[in-house]
Amino acid sequence: EVITESKEIGSPVSSFSETIAIETDVLFLTIDLDGGDITEAKLKKYPISLEKLDQPFALLENNKRRIYVAQSGLTGKNGIDTRDGRAVFNTTSNRFVLDPSENELVINLLWVTENQVSITKRFKLRRGDYLVDVEYLVENLSDEVWEAQFFAQIKRDSSPQPANDQGGMGLQPFLGAATTLPDKRFAKFTFDDIADEPLKLQSSEGWIAMVQHYFLSAWIPPRGQKYQYSTRQTSSGFNIAGFTSPTTIVGPGQTATVGAKFYVGPKDQYRLEEIAPYLDL
């Protein structure tokens, strides 16, 4: 398990937890500085309902109604996300807004170890796009080798989709996790499936998503390396779908970058097709 039960990440943000707000022309994101997880995503072009056109639809949220968050971190030998807790980041502001004259917004969260390793967690967003780049930049100024694995996961409770999101005529749109398998381009798993038969898969091409009516969130790692994909249900009832990267090794005086892309938005088949094979399915 990447994240242990002793530290249940994504529980409603406590009073001592600090967050930052990020805004582009299409997204409102909230990031928890404890771990650097995305704990809220609101879609500015999609209102909650026809009666509330001024209120954007929340896909990711972290409250009493629903916990649905996107987490990422560094685990393993020198990982900064451990059984004892997550890395707590610093940043220059608590609010970042895409300037009308710019097409890209970059947010850096900073963390420094006691042994001269500095780590930046970087979020990069683009105008008109629901795809977010999430990267860790590791600078090893120590005289020892540094190594860790990057992980990314989507965590959701089993609450139903938002009420206005249901299909008509009594049809329930699919709610659950999805991925692409070597023998099946689009495989989906209900929360019951995840509880009964957790997925374990090694693949060098792929993605893992949480899907509901009209919308999805998905982690897409870079192609070419073998990643360990998995789903599981925790003892406290959370559904986890994610992957872990191979070990990143950074020698003394060296730097390295590791991360993935995160999509949070509508089922825009043309855009999804551009991002990764079979994601449009």
Side-chain angles (χ1 to χ4, degrees):
E1 288 189 1
V2 170
I3 301 299
T4 62
E5 288 297 309
S6 60
K7 171 77 172 158
E8 206 28 288
I9 307 176
S11 317
V13 174
S14 56
S15 56
F16 59 82
S17 193
E18 286 191 57
T19 62
I20 62 170
I22 298 172
E23 182 180 349
T24 70
D25 59 327
V26 295
L27 283 172
F28 284 116
L29 297 184
T30 300
I31 292 177
D32 189 346
L33 291 177
D34 186 1
D37 296 332
I38 304 173
T39 54
E40 187 178 55
K42 290 181 176 177
L43 312 180
K44 291 169 73 171
K45 297 197 170 178
Y46 296 87
I48 291 178
S49 67
L50 292 173
E51 293 77 41
K52 299 177 180 174
L53 291 173
D54 58 332
Q55 293 184 36
F57 176 74
L59 183 53
L60 303 188
E61 48 188 326
N62 191 28
N63 48 45
K64 290 194 169 82
R65 179 178 60 233
R66 182 175 294 105
I67 292 176
Y68 177 9
V69 296
Q71 304 174 309
S72 53
L74 297 170
T75 187
K77 186 178 177 185
N78 300 119
I80 58 178
D81 299 289
T82 68
R83 292 173 186 274
D84 301 325
R86 310 288 303 283
V88 179
F89 292 95
N90 292 307
T91 189
T92 54
S93 173
N94 61 1
R95 188 162 182 264
F96 297 85
V97 181
L98 179 65
D99 189 280
S101 65
E102 300 285 336
N103 286 318
E104 194 172 82
L105 178 63
V106 177
I107 298 97
N108 289 325
L109 311 184
L110 306 172
W111 188 88
V112 181
T113 66
E114 293 163 6
N115 61 353
Q116 295 183 293
V117 177
S118 86
I119 295 173
T120 302
K121 187 169 190 176
R122 176 172 290 170
F123 294 84
K124 192 182 290 183
L125 298 89
R126 285 162 293 272
R127 179 173 300 281
D129 202 0
Y130 297 94
L131 191 67
V132 182
D133 295 353
V134 182
E135 290 183 328
Y136 283 85
L137 289 65
V138 181
E139 186 177 12
N140 183 5
L141 300 173
S142 76
D143 51 11
E144 293 183 12
V145 171
W146 181 97
E147 59 180 81
Q149 289 98 37
F150 171 76
F151 74 87
Q153 60 188 33
I154 301 164
K155 170 179 174 172
R156 194 191 189 285
D157 59 23
S158 295
S159 62
Q161 328 196 26
N164 66 317
D165 219 17
Q166 305 296 349
M169 307 297 291
L171 293 172
Q172 292 291 318
F174 174 73
L175 171 66
T179 190
T180 183
L181 302 174
D183 57 349
K184 194 175 185 183
R185 290 177 174 182
F186 178 63
K188 53 190 189 178
F189 311 91
T190 64
F191 296 145
D192 286 343
D193 294 335
I194 291 172
D196 295 341
E197 284 190 62
L199 170 77
K200 278 195 174 2
L201 166 74
Q202 194 176 62
S203 175
S204 57
E205 291 187 19
W207 43 266
I208 195 154
M210 201 68 79
V211 181
Q212 66 189 55
H213 202 200
Y214 304 124
F215 303 103
L216 80 151
S217 62
W219 281 108
I220 307 104
R223 295 169 75 177
Q225 284 189 300
K226 279 231 188 296
Y227 300 91
Q228 298 286 346
Y229 289 89
S230 63
T231 62
R232 63 188 171 90
Q233 198 171 81
T234 70
S235 57
S236 43
F238 287 106
N239 304 286
I240 309 268
F243 70 84
T244 303
S245 292
T247 301
T248 297
I249 297 172
V250 190
Q254 301 292 308
T255 60
T257 302
V258 62
K261 294 182 186 299
F262 179 67
Y263 183 91
V264 56
K267 292 178 181 173
D268 176 347
Q269 286 179 290
Y270 299 105
R271 181 67 184 110
L272 296 173
E273 188 177 24
E274 293 171 347
I275 294 169
Y278 315 125
L279 188 58
D280 58 313
L281 298 179

